[in-house]
Amino acid sequence: MNTLKKTIVGVLTLLAAARADAAIRDAGAYLRAQVVQRTLSNGIEVLMLDRGAAPTLALVISFRVGSADESYDTIGMAHMLEHILFKGTVTIGTKDYRKEKRLLDEIEAVGSTIDRLRLTSPNNAQLPSLTRRLKELEKAHSAYVVHSPYNRIYSKNGGVGFNAFTSRDQTAYIIELPSSKLALWADLESQRLREPVMREFYLERNAVIEERLMRYESSGTGLLIEKFIATAYAAHPYRHPIIGWRSNIEFLQLDRMREFFTRHYVPARMSIAIVGKQNPAETLAVLERSFGRLPKRPEPMPAAIREPAQNGERRFEVFFDANPSLVMGWHKPTLPAKADFACEVIASLLSDGRSSRLYRRLVLERKIASSVSAWNGFPGSRYDNLFVVMAAPQGSHTLPEIEAAVLDEIARLAGDLRDDELERILNRIETKAILGLDSNMGIASLISHYQTIMKDWRFATSYLDDMRRITRADVVDAINTYLVAKNRTVGYLLRTRDQKK
């Protein structure tokens, strides 16, 4: 999710939480007063908020590790590891681990040999027989596997929304449960972090390859965005797809995954957010007994590489059997830079609603675009990121025509933005927030996100105040400083039949 969407969700939940208590007038003050932050003995940060009458809890475990933490030979590893950690432990997900372990060891030995030969000797005569042997072993192993073990346990105990996600910045595991099941959750989740069994690795690797085929290689938009990010970023690991490149996925190694897990899934990069009916002191005691058993390990260094300044426009074309589309992006700072807040405002001015500048001019008045959108904070938030515009032409109108119209509207915004227009858009952001949902999971996700990305959940409490400080001069300065030609990447998705021979 991009920064703008995260922000809207965050503000929605903040004000919804405040609205739940009629005496609360300031959502930021409410959270600052009600969120209890503690640190476990091994360094895990815990955020707790006791709220609501219903005895339920929203629980989020987050690690500050994503695809931005991968090297060239581990691209796709964070996403793959998320999949594998659903497979269980020595006691969960298995019918007889002692017998299963022998098969797992042989599967890994055969699978790693196949990978090595495919890379170094692709015509090796042993490959067909080894491949058959791997399939035989996987079939035998399946007799010991309990599929979807955590779903089964949580479903029986009233759990809903059990899921996980990997982004470029973080990996998170989420669920909602009755408050009485806190100890069960803590035991299950801490156990799979203490002693995960990375079973069905090669089968899951093939499943991820199929996922990539569906989401990227069979989607014109997917290909366009993947190429756009890889073009906009020349050096920084943001340039790699979260799911990995096809050639990377095919050779992800199980031993390297164990190393990646040990290196990055450390208490110093971990936080737990729990929102709902609870006694924080009792909650903390449960967490210390379970998650406190995770060994303290040194925190890995963050990515040292920084994206060099872009000193010239970059352009590319992607051909696919799909309707044409345009994507444009400009490099800019991330939070807490003032320019990031200014770019949030710019995105709202350009494309938030039917009265926004781009939608009104391109879709309603000139009728040259069928859709247009702008957003800030792509493809991640831990490091400097992009301001992005996407649009699709209508009828016989062309991508160059759309591109020129978008650039013209951005220039017009810098030249004729009025204070009253800025005030209306800020009010619109606030109004949308007031109409938000009252959700334990929304609040838990919000404070977890900022604790993970910014290392301080309190950024969530001051967002509207920071936004209100943005002036017309700040907006104009952001446009003139960052949304300029030399800082721009432009991509066209064109129909295959239009490709020049």
Side-chain angles (χ1 to χ4, degrees), residues 321-348:
D321 187 16
N323 291 329
S325 186
L326 160 75
V327 61
M328 308 170 68
W330 296 261
H331 288 278
K332 48 160 284 293
T334 190
L335 287 171
K338 180 181 285 189
D340 185 78
F341 290 96
C343 285
E344 292 281 3
V345 173
I346 294 168
S348 294

Side-chain angles (χ1 to χ4, degrees), residues 167-239:
S167 71
R168 286 173 169 83
D169 293 329
Q170 68 179 118
T171 305
Y173 301 85
I174 63 177
I175 192 171
E176 293 185 77
L177 281 166
S179 299
S180 60
K181 303 300 180 180
L182 173 65
L184 170 70
W185 168 84
D187 288 341
L188 289 173
E189 296 301 318
S190 62
Q191 184 184 352
R192 72 164 164 167
L193 295 174
R194 290 196 311 271
E195 49 188 34
V197 174
M198 298 183 180
R199 50 177 62 95
E200 296 188 307
F201 175 82
Y202 298 100
L203 293 174
E204 197 64 32
R205 194 174 69 176
N206 290 335
V208 173
I209 291 173
E210 291 299 315
E211 181 185 350
R212 179 184 163 79
L213 176 64
M214 178 182 68
R215 291 173 53 190
Y216 292 89
E217 298 170 25
S218 299
S219 165
T221 301
L223 287 173
L224 176 66
I225 294 299
E226 181 175 84
K227 179 69 172 178
F228 167 69
I229 299 171
T231 303
Y233 285 93
H236 195 273
Y238 271 171
R239 74 186 313 270

Side-chain angles (χ1 to χ4, degrees), residues 477-493:
D477 182 64
I479 293 174
N480 292 336
T481 302
Y482 300 106
L483 307 191
V484 294
K486 70 175 184 178
N487 196 35
R488 184 169 64 224
T489 300
V490 182
Y492 284 6
L493 172 65

